[in-house]
Structure formats: C-alpha cells, structure tokens
Amino acid sequence: MIFLVMTDLVAFSKAIADPTRWRIVHLAMDEALCVCELADILGMPQSSVSSHVQIIRKAGMLESEKCEKWTYFRIVPPHRRLLREMMKSFPAAEKTFARDAARSAKRLAKRENSCCPGPQRLASKSNASTP
C-alpha cells in the first residue's frame, strides 16, 4: 500500500499534468539536477524550466540543495514509489523518458567540466534509493 501525505492534492496533480513537468519529474527521480542541466537535457530555455521546477517544488515534490549559485533538485523519497507506479501505467512515455535519460547521462558526464559544481548531500546514492 502506498501511503503518502499530501498537503495539496490539486498542486500535486497540477505538477504532473504537464508533459514537460512529467519529464522533469522523471529526470529528477534519482539524480539531483540543476535548472541549467535540465534545460540542456530538455532543450528548453532555463527560464521556462525554472518555472516548471517551481510548480513541482510548490507541490512539495522536490528536495533541494544549494551549492554556490546553483540549486539542485530531486524528487523527495516519499513520492518516488507513487510516481514510479504512475509512470508504469503510461508506457507510451517510455520513448521520451529513454531519450531524456540518454541526454541526461551525456550531460552528467560533462558535469565535472561544466559550470555546475554538482550537489554534495543529494549526490549520495543511498539518499536516492527508492523507499
């Protein structure tokens, strides 16, 4: 049984009711990413990605870590199981998710030499485990 306390079901629904936000949720499921990384992966302007991230954040779905001038975001552990189950229910999105995952891996391989220093606390894979 999935137990999830949500202060605002409408905000949660709104956060996943947009194709771009759904892609961001998928990308940030286990890997903490900053807005510039998400923008590169999605091929969108940072301002647009930032607006989408704020909707997801306001729904209480993101944990964050500030590193210098960058903020990294990842889905909070209590939401991961529910979101993974939801993603399984919509297999048509798998092609998009796979393409995004490939772009993410390519972008993260460049992280060390990019403008983004990378998260410290949220980089822990033990922190990323599925509850």
Side-chain angles (χ1 to χ4, degrees):
M1 179 175 172
I2 298 172
F3 177 73
L4 185 61
V5 177
M6 287 184 238
T7 57
D8 190 346
L9 182 59
V10 174
F12 179 86
S13 299
K14 181 180 179 182
I16 62 171
D18 176 89
T20 299
R21 290 193 292 272
W22 194 229
R23 290 171 68 195
I24 291 169
V25 164
H26 184 265
L27 287 164
M29 190 69 72
D30 295 313
E31 189 71 53
L33 300 164
C34 69
V35 170
C36 64
E37 291 171 329
L38 287 165
D40 285 350
I41 295 163
L42 298 170
M44 297 176 63
Q46 287 186 23
S47 59
S48 297
V49 172
S50 183
S51 296
H52 286 296
V53 166
Q54 290 313 309
I55 292 168
I56 301 166
R57 186 191 59 75
K58 287 179 182 174
M61 296 171 62
L62 293 173
E63 58 185 340
S64 63
E65 177 183 346
K66 185 99 168 133
C67 293
E68 300 175 23
K69 65 180 182 177
W70 294 270
T71 303
Y72 293 86
F73 300 96
R74 185 173 64 199
I75 300 299
V76 295
H79 286 71
R80 292 181 195 149
R81 177 189 254 166
L82 172 62
L83 291 165
R84 279 193 175 89
E85 289 301 317
M86 292 175 73
M87 287 174 187
K88 288 179 192 174
S89 298
F90 300 96
E94 283 303 316
K95 287 181 184 177
T96 300
F97 290 161
R99 186 174 54 245
D100 288 347
R103 288 180 181 159
S104 178
K106 196 173 184 178
R107 177 60 170 89
L108 289 173
K110 298 176 185 177
R111 182 181 267 175
E112 202 171 286
N113 298 318
S114 74
C115 63
C116 312
Q120 300 301 306
R121 180 179 51 85
L122 294 181
S124 166
K125 286 298 180 187
S126 62
N127 240 359
S129 64
T130 303

